[in-house]
């Protein structure tokens, strides 16, 4: 039976091409000189160099975490290129006409339009190619509302006071091994600032593309929502297929002040490695949101389908009274993929609420673990959490685990946890088949039903894309 | 209704099938013509459900000998979903629950799969809603069931009714109803039987697998077959069911043992 369920997973990865473009790279390896060189290349102010060096020195004293439920050969940090940029980006781009046509073509091929003429989706996009941001669209339109949306490199130059005020305040440089590494060498990423009382007039989005085979990608995103403001942010990622592994260690920091709301959605489709487990991205990401103000709200939605290894726990620290944290996640693993992903909800303020909805789908020989922490601090009165973790198995050779950690130090807290494991079995597929529905269609209907609670949280176009993506990833694993 | 000139819909010859190495069907012969209603009865474990699943192509069952011709086509060469789209319908003895997939979506995708197989255009959502609501009438099923997950939390009788709704929608050429009557209350039995009669035409055929005469009072069979040890040991008219009801199976199975 497993052989037939098995054959509906594993679809060739269609974003696996490499763009042939000249790049300006630093030599392999990491040292204080490399950190200084990155900072110098970006012409950074002293405070940034200090930030990086502090992180680097801290990193040297740290160890790679061993607790995740994933296995991989040791990473040689001296064999990685820490900075690589398409040649032309050295000089500031004045308009999209200055962008290398090869790059524009790359993004067209990926279905990402960086051409401002195509306002279709009404989404502003920041595009990051290897280490640098190559274009940000709709900047001027956004500026009219006082919204700042630019690459983080640009923000360091144009808005140093904001960067200085918030960078590293949610995720300190020494937070964890990969966060320290990122803080030392991050090359680019996006910066968003929504001023007081502004509801961001369009969705903002970053598209990450890892092109160079030896480059690690270390991007850094910082979003600040001032009092009474709100923003929806989307993140998409792809990478070429290489038979070696690439390291991706990103940081996303969100800050929501009084009555502000940030909704952050990710559809992650890095290259996952081939059907024998060769190649693929090592995705070690730290994402955390700080609900600093009263009644603030941060909501994470993620659809994780790529990466050979995923290590990622988008979290919320609920400091403001009545603040709300949400985490909606679909993580799909196939072949030899390994995912250890989940969230942390830390309740600090009074009457804080959090919701966790996690859906794990495992096929092939993959390993899919949910790891989540709900922490209620002693002074957090009236905290509430609801967690639901569902796993679905396709076939008999994959593996699903749930590791919920609940630490409640205040007796007024209400914490609820539900978990389930189900399996797409031959009999279910036979029922569909008996009504004329092919196994492929049956699997995608079951999977989208299973993920509906999460997809409902995604912006419309993203939800459709996510649905399609999951079906593609599962094609041929039933048959 | 029996019409000697009617087309043969299904012809099963010397069918042998096993599950996990155990032979369950042993030399089964069975023939159905257009317009006919057949009843298959027999002891628990005699192979009735197995036969229906083999017809539908369940992957657990291996056909080791014999042939099945459905409307002139070699049925065994088709995938399960192709058999369904070709006009074979099985109302399950134990319908499955499919959490997260709404009944309405499930029915629409199934209906469109059938249309596609016939080379017809897919029906749009609004036309489909009208159609499915009209068909729900046939089994007097409340439309609120359409927006629940397929069979999830349905009572035993509601599941059976839902099976017949699917039959009403897909309008198969050959319907096999595996103990659809068990679990139905008396009113529901009348409703469902009425639906089955309403759906039965001169061009299609129905096979009822049942243990009880009750159903056959409402849906009157042209033939009654007795299954034993994986094949049919006796065939008669509707009066055979009445005889079984009063005499049981001993007199037949004893005879079989001698043979
Ligand atoms: N998957 C299976 N594995 C092992 N044995 C099976 C399997 N499926 C059917 N059988 C066996 O085959 C025999 C016939 O079963 P089947 O379900 O066809 O009987 P039935 O005539 O429908 O009985 P009932 O009247 O109780 O519904 C039984 O002995 C059953 O245990
Ligand atoms: Mg049975």
């Amino acid at each position: 039976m497993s052989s037939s369920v098995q054959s509906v997973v594993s679809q060739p990865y269609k974003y696996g091409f490499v763009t042939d473009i000249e790049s300006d790279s630093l030599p392999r390896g990491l040292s204080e000189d490399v950190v200084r060189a990155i900072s110098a290349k970006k012409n950074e102010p002293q405070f940034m160099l200090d930030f990086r060096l502090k992180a680097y020195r801290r990193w040297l004293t740290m160890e790679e975490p061993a607790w995740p439920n994933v296995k991989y050969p040791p990473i040689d940090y001296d064999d990685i290129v820490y900075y690589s940029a398409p040649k032309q980006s050295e000089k500031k781009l004045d308009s999209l006409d200055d962008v290398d046509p090869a790059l524009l073509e790359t993004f067209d091929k990926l279905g990402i339009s960086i051409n401002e003429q195509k306002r279709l989706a009404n989404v502003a996009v920041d595009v990051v190619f290897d280490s640098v941001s190559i274009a940000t669209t709709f900047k001027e339109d956004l500026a009219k509302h006082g919204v700042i949306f630019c690459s983080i490199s640009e923000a360091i130059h144009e808005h140093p006071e904001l960067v200085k005020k918030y960078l590293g305040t949610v995720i300190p440089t020494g937070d964890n091994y990969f966060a320290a590494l990122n803080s030392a060498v991050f090359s680019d990423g996006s910066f968003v600032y929504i001023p007081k009382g502004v509801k961001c007039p369009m969705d903002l989005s970053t598209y990450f593309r890892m092109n160079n085979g030896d480059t690690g990608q270390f991007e850094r995103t910082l979003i600040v929502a001032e009092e009474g403001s709100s923003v929806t942010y989307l993140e998409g990622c792809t990478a070429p297929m290489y038979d070696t592994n690439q390291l991706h260690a990103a940081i996303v920091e969100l800050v929501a002040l009084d009555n502000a709301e940030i909704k952050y959605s990710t559809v992650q489709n890095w290259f996952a490695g081939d059907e024998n487990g060769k190649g693929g991205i090592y995705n070690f990401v730290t994402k955390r949101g700080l609900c600093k103000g009263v009644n603030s709200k941060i909501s994470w939605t993620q659809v994780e389908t790529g990466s050979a290894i995923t290590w990622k726990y988008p979290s919320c620290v609920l400091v403001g009274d009545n603040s709300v944290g949400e985490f909606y996640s679909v993580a799909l693993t196939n072949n030899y993929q390994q995912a250890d992903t989940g969230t942390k909800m830390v309740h600090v303020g009074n009457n804080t609420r959090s919701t966790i909805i996690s859906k794990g789908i495992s096929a092939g020989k993959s390993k899919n673990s949910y790891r989540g922490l709900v922490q209620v601090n002693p002074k957090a009165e009236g905290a509430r959490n609801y967690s639901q973790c569902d796993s679905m198995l396709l076939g008999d050779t994959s593996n699903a685990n749930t590791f919920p950690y609940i630490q409640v130090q205040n007796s007024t807290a209400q914490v609820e946890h539900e978990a389930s494991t189900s399996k797409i079995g031959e009999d279910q597929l036979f029922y569909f088949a008996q009504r004329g529905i092919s196994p492929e269609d049956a699997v995608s209907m079951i999977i989208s039903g299973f993920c509906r609670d999460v997809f409902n949280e995604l912006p419309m176009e993203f939800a459709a894309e996510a649905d399609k993506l999951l079906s593609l990833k599962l094609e041929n694993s039933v048959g | 209704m029996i019409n000697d000139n009617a087309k043969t819909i299904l012809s099963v010859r010397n069918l042998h099938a096993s599950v996990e190495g155990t032979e369950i069907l042993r030399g089964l012969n069975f023939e159905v013509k257009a317009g006919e209603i057949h009843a298959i009865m027999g002891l628990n474990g005699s192979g009735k459900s197995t036969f229906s699943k083999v017809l539908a192509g369940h992957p657990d069952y291996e056909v080791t000998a014999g042939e099945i011709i459905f409307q002139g086509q070699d049925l065994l060469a088709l995938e399960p979903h192709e058999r369904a789209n070709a006009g074979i319908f099985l109302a399950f003895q134990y319908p499955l629950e499919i959490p997260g997939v709404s009944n309405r979506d499930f029915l629409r995708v199934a209906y469109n799969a059938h249309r596609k197989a016939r080379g017809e255009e897919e029906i749009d959502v609004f036309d489909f809603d009208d159609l499915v609501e009209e068909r729900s009438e046939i089994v007097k099923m409340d439309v609120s069931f359409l927006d629940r997950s397929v069979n999830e939390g349905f009572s035993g009788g509601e599941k059976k009714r839902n099976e017949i709704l699917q039959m009403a929608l897909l309008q198969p050429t050959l319907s096999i109803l595996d103990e659809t009557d068990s679990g139905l209350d008396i009113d529901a039995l009348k409703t469902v039987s009425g639906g089955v009669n309403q759906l039965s035409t001169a061009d299609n055929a129905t096979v009822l697998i049942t243990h009880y005469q009750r159903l056959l009072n409402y849906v009157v069979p042209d033939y009654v077959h007795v299954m034993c040890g994986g094949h049919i040991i006796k065939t008669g008219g509707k009066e055979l069911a009445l005889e079984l009801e009063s005499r049981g199976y001993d007199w037949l199975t004893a005879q079989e043992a001698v043979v």
Side-chain angles (χ1 to χ4, degrees), chain A residues 270-340:
Chain A
W270 297 118
F271 177 52
D274 68 11
E275 68 277 11
N276 300 313
K278 206 162 169 43
I281 305 292
Y282 289 171
N283 195 28
F284 301 108
V285 171
T286 308
K287 290 184 166 178
R288 193 173 304 154
L290 175 62
C291 281
K292 197 168 178 177
V294 297
N295 305 318
S296 56
K297 178 172 172 185
I298 289 180
S299 176
W300 298 100
T301 306
Q302 60 169 17
V303 177
E304 297 283 311
T305 68
S307 297
I309 296 188
T310 302
W311 180 97
K312 182 179 170 189
Y313 315 90
S315 305
C316 297
V317 182
L318 307 171
V319 171
D321 288 350
N322 310 316
S323 60
V324 176
E326 294 175 338
F327 174 74
Y328 298 96
S329 169
V330 167
L332 177 144
T333 54
N334 191 10
N335 299 321
Y336 287 88
Q337 280 177 271
Q338 305 177 61
D340 192 302

Side-chain angles (χ1 to χ4, degrees), chain B residues 19-20 24 43-50 61 93 179 211:
Chain B
V19 59
E20 283 161 17
I24 312 284
L43 294 174
N44 295 135
S46 57
K48 303 180 297 296
S49 294
T50 301
Y61 300 85
Q93 183 172 3
E179 296 198 27
H211 289 294

